[in-house]
Amino acid sequence: MRIQVDLSKELQDYVTASSLREPQILAELREYTSALPLHLLQISPEQGQFLRVLVSALRVRKAVEIGVFTGYSLLCTALALPPTGTVVACEISEEWAAIAIDHCKRAGVADRVDVRVGDARVTLDALLAEPGARGSFDFVFIDADKENYEAYYEAGLELLRPGGLVLVDNVLWKGAVIDDEAQDDETRALRAFNAKVRDDDRVDLSMLPFADGLTFALKR
Ligand SMILES: C[S@@+](CC[C@H](N)C(=O)[O-])C[C@H]1O[C@@H](n2cnc3c(N)ncnc32)[C@H](O)[C@@H]1O
């Protein structure tokens, strides 16, 4: 028999009360973002803390983030990097990138952050063409437009060193991946992406049913 806790709202509140430690600057960014109409794009503070622990535990020095929004996950990564660490962050919206940069400055970690505004596929191609970039990154976080996850994953694998990790958000898409009625482009792309990674022998794999589903793909 499998032990699987049914996560009620009360139990989720208990998890938060028992574990969440959110630095003031992240709380301020979350507060700022909560007033925006698209605030639900932001990862949760619990996910952010998970990201900080992960980046720290893996001793990441060079990271890539695809999908910045107002910068919550970016700031989590930047705070967990060592002082000489860097994160290349891809975001298509100049307005959101500016908010993210502003908060990284206020947190004193702007020198770890290299925000590149534009379509992430173009940004990643340019990054791959930079001398020494290929195979040099430790960590890639994918959290942008779902239709391009496959392209981001492929670019991420090329940028990573062997043993580097791709972390992919929203792979369960609030359960839509198992709903036959859900045939929109994003859901179909995520189904195809999940099937591709499942069969990809270039990586070791784990899909975690945490938040909206997180896939870990460790480059062999
Ligand atoms: C889910 S949000 C990211 C949330 C962010 N990780 C956080 O913690 O707040 C997705 C972001 O991807 C950006 N995006 C969408 N399509 C993109 C593209 N083709 N290239 C770069 N960024 C893109 C959106 O503008 C949006 O800010």
Side-chain angles (χ1 to χ4, degrees):
M1 193 182 99
R2 273 192 201 188
I3 298 180
Q4 178 69 56
V5 177
D6 190 5
L7 207 57
S8 62
K9 173 159 185 333
E10 291 72 22
L11 197 51
Q12 178 59 61
D13 289 347
Y14 175 81
V15 170
T16 301
S18 305
S19 65
L20 186 62
R21 299 175 184 167
E22 190 181 41
Q24 183 62 23
I25 184 70
L26 283 172
E28 285 171 24
L29 174 55
R30 186 159 58 83
E31 179 69 26
Y32 178 92
T33 304
S34 69
L36 302 177
L38 289 175
H39 64 274
L40 288 177
L41 290 180
Q42 186 205 275
I43 61 164
S44 69
E46 291 82 2
Q47 254 185 300
Q49 182 162 317
F50 176 77
L51 197 54
R52 285 188 285 132
V53 169
L54 189 68
V55 166
S56 183
L58 295 175
R59 301 193 194 289
V60 172
R61 304 185 70 82
K62 285 183 75 178
V64 176
E65 174 169 299
I66 305 154
V68 172
F69 188 40
T70 57
Y72 195 90
S73 55
L74 177 62
L75 187 47
C76 288
T77 298
L79 287 169
L81 287 171
T84 54
T86 52
V87 49
V88 175
C90 311
E91 172 55 52
I92 204 161
S93 158
E94 205 159 324
E95 185 189 338
W96 287 336
I99 297 167
I101 292 168
D102 179 49
H103 282 81
C104 288
K105 279 185 186 150
R106 289 174 48 198
V109 293
D111 56 340
R112 300 177 198 174
V113 166
D114 175 1
V115 178
R116 303 188 183 186
V117 176
D119 187 319
R121 285 170 304 175
V122 177
T123 304
L124 291 168
D125 279 349
L127 182 58
L128 277 163
E130 289 176 14
R134 220 169 261 268
S136 73
F137 285 80
D138 307 300
F139 180 68
V140 174
F141 179 49
I142 301 177
D143 187 21
D145 50 323
K146 312 310 162 196
E147 295 90 336
N148 285 314
Y149 265 26
E150 198 172 323
Y152 300 149
Y153 174 77
E154 286 300 329
L157 280 185
E158 286 186 55
L159 287 165
L160 285 177
R161 61 170 170 80
L165 179 74
V166 189
L167 183 68
V168 189
D169 197 18
N170 305 116
V171 294
L172 297 180
W173 209 222
K174 299 189 191 76
V177 285
I178 58 161
D179 177 359
D180 289 344
E181 310 242 301
Q183 294 299 337
D184 56 284
D185 290 349
E186 290 174 309
T187 308
R188 288 158 65 102
L190 282 166
R191 280 190 202 113
F193 175 75
N194 289 337
K196 174 195 168 93
V197 180
R198 176 195 62 208
D199 298 334
D200 188 352
D201 60 13
R202 295 171 297 173
V203 297
D204 290 314
L205 175 67
S206 178
M207 188 190 274
L208 212 65
F210 169 45
D212 195 22
L214 278 172
T215 284
F216 285 68
L218 193 66
K219 182 174 172 177
R220 288 181 170 161

